């Protein structure tokens, strides 16, 4: 199996055709991956493309990888068309759908919108803290920054509503010519379903107190059964290829103004949630703009890496059904990113 994987990865890496156009209640980890010292050279030598088979084999789960050198279209991939739970990486297409409305003039980053207690979601939220327990107003721009920097679930659901709901976000993705990605539920819906809550109250009653009370009342066995069903649920999933294609479009400013691109990438570059993933084993000072996603046995990171020559790699690494710890899954993502970085930093670009 490893030999077959290796041959496939190397074949994909040699292809220079252009890239095709193609959760969830979690707190993103800020833990750094424990490994050897982060290399300071322009091309870290500890991993190579040849080692991807071993990295995947030791991951304890299913690993989807698509890396596209944006300027040439050269690719490295493994399980590019398999569906993986997106977890909080699905916040990237949500924000892109909102930015499309900003670019069309329908809304502004400075517009203030209501954020009420029924909009509050599990996990820390800068926006919920800023408006206070009784709710208040927050700007669209502040919510985008909170979502992309801190994976703010409260802001994600409020922005989803502003974009027109899950179906509208999926429609925006489709309008970009990207298949293999679907957005089906609000974060709040995933909170209920992932934790096995069947007596879901009306959305107007989705307060933090109700989330905590009803989730705590679910017997452990029922909660585990609900989480087992989650892994077979096709909703809110994406292929690595779809995410890589979306990232290529973001870099190329397809259906995205220069101002909106800068707002998005600035927040992604400053995010602390992925310190143990794509960034962890790259040379110090490498620019990475990424969005993480974590739920149960899923650990993802998708982003744009700037190489020493100024070119870029769009990378999606998605891990599911892992039998290892979250720290181990993060290490898998970090090692894949290091191998991909070394490969594209070394190979000729012409």
């Amino acid at each position: 199996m490893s030999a077959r994987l290796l041959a496939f990865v190397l074949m994909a890496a040699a292809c220079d055709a252009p890239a095709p156009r193609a959760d969830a209640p979690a707190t993103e980890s800020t833990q750094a991956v424990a490994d050897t010292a982060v290399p300071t050279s322009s091309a870290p030598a500890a991993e190579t493309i040849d080692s991807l088979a071993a990295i995947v084999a030791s991951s304890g789960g299913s690993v989807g990888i698509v890396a596209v050198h944006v300027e040439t279209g050269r690719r490295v991939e493994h399980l590019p068309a398999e569906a993986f739970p997106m977890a909080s990486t699905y916040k990237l297409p949500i924000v892109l759908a909102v930015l499309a409305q900003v670019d069309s003039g329908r809304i502004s980053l400075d517009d203030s919108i209501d954020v009420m207690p029924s909009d509050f979601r599990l996990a820390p939220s800068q926006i919920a803290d800023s408006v206070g327990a009784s709710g208040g107003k927050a700007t669209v721009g502040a919510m985008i920054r909170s979502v992309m920097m801190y994976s703010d679930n409260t802001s994600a659901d409020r922005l989803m509503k502003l974009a027109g709901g899950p179906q509208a976000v999926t429609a925006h993705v489709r309008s970009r010519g990207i298949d293999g990605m679907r957005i089906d539920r609000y974060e709040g819906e995933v909170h209920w379903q992932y934790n096995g809550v069947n007596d879901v109250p009306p959305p107007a009653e989705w307060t933090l107190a109700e989330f905590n009370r009803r989730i705590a009342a679910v017997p452990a066995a029922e909660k585990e059964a609900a989480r087992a069903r989650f892994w077979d649920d096709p909703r809110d999933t994406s292929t690595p290829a779809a995410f890589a294609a979306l990232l290529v479009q973001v870099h190329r400013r397809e259906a995205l103004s220069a101002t909106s691109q800068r707002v998005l990438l600035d927040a992604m570059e400053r995010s602390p949630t992925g310190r143990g993933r794509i960034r962890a084993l790259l040379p110090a000072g490498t620019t990475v703009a990424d969005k993480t996603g974590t739920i149960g046995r899923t650990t993802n990171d998708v982003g744009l890496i700037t190489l020493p020559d100024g070119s870029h790699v769009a990378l999606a690494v998605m891990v599911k059904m892992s039998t290892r710890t979250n720290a181990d899954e993060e290490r898998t993502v970090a090692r894949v990113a290091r191998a991909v970085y070394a490969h594209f930093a070394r190979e000729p670009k012409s």
Side-chain angles (χ1 to χ4, degrees):
M1 180 175 178
S2 295
R4 288 179 58 196
L5 168 66
L6 177 57
F8 179 68
V9 167
L10 290 175
M11 180 179 67
C15 175
D16 54 11
R21 295 180 61 126
D23 85 83
T27 300
E28 307 298 359
S29 171
T30 59
Q31 175 183 354
V33 172
D35 206 319
T36 55
V38 176
T40 57
S41 66
S42 63
E47 311 278 13
T48 68
I49 286 297
D50 291 359
S51 68
L52 279 180
I55 296 171
V56 170
S58 65
S59 68
S62 181
V63 183
I65 304 165
V66 173
V68 181
H69 185 258
V70 177
E71 285 76 8
T72 66
R74 291 189 174 95
R75 302 169 69 84
V76 172
E77 53 189 33
H78 176 246
L79 301 182
E82 182 162 330
F84 288 77
M86 283 191 282
S88 286
T89 59
Y90 99 145
K91 292 166 183 170
L92 175 57
I94 293 171
V95 168
L96 285 172
V98 172
L99 288 173
Q101 293 196 26
V102 171
D103 289 341
S104 71
R106 294 178 59 188
I107 60 175
S108 164
L109 292 174
D110 296 326
D111 286 349
S112 291
I113 60 176
D114 292 329
V115 181
M116 306 310 294
S118 59
D119 296 314
F120 295 170
R121 300 293 178 257
L122 299 177
S125 166
Q126 285 193 325
I127 295 301
D129 290 345
S130 71
V131 302
S134 60
K137 290 185 179 292
T139 68
V140 173
M143 287 192 288
I144 287 174
R145 287 188 291 274
S146 193
V147 166
M148 299 311 296
M149 290 181 65
Y150 303 108
S151 210
D152 183 339
N153 290 335
T154 294
S155 293
D157 263 13
R158 193 61 188 86
L159 290 175
M160 179 99 83
K161 188 183 298 184
L162 185 64
Q167 290 71 33
V169 176
T170 298
H172 176 73
V173 171
R174 296 287 180 272
S175 74
R176 289 173 162 271
I178 293 176
D179 295 318
M181 178 182 290
R182 51 183 290 181
I183 297 88
D184 298 276
R185 294 169 290 184
Y186 287 93
E187 288 275 5
E189 293 177 87
V190 179
H191 291 340
W192 299 124
Q193 292 161 14
Y194 182 75
N195 288 290
V197 176
N198 294 318
D199 57 333
V200 176
E205 299 174 20
W206 288 11
T207 63
L208 288 178
E210 277 302 295
F211 278 115
N212 288 321
R213 184 181 72 82
R214 294 182 188 240
I215 290 172
V218 177
E222 292 183 21
K223 197 172 292 183
E224 286 305 308
R227 292 175 179 180
R229 291 192 296 271
F230 180 84
W231 309 117
D232 294 323
D233 196 325
R235 292 176 295 178
D236 302 301
T237 59
S238 178
T239 66
F243 256 122
L246 192 64
L247 290 163
V248 169
Q249 290 185 2
V250 167
H251 176 77
R252 292 176 175 168
R253 291 212 318 266
E254 295 181 21
L256 188 67
S257 71
T259 299
S260 289
Q261 183 202 47
R262 192 62 258 157
V263 167
L264 177 64
L265 292 181
D266 180 66
M268 293 171 72
E269 288 169 9
R270 294 164 58 199
S271 173
T273 68
R275 299 304 180 191
R277 302 188 191 182
I278 288 176
R279 289 176 168 83
L281 301 177
L282 301 185
T286 300
T287 299
V288 177
D290 70 326
K291 182 69 198 79
T292 54
T294 311
I295 183 170
R297 297 163 66 189
T298 286
T299 299
N300 304 326
D301 202 3
V302 301
L304 289 161
I305 303 170
T306 302
L307 298 177
D309 66 356
S311 63
H312 304 83
V313 174
L315 175 62
V317 187
M318 309 182 80
V319 183
K320 68 178 179 180
M321 300 299 292
S322 175
T323 58
R324 307 295 173 82
T325 66
N326 178 253
D328 289 334
E329 293 166 5
E330 289 199 320
R331 179 185 173 90
T332 294
V333 174
R335 292 180 66 199
V336 168
R338 179 164 62 178
V340 165
Y341 177 97
H343 172 72
F344 286 112
R346 288 179 180 135
E347 74 164 4
K349 301 304 186 295
S350 58

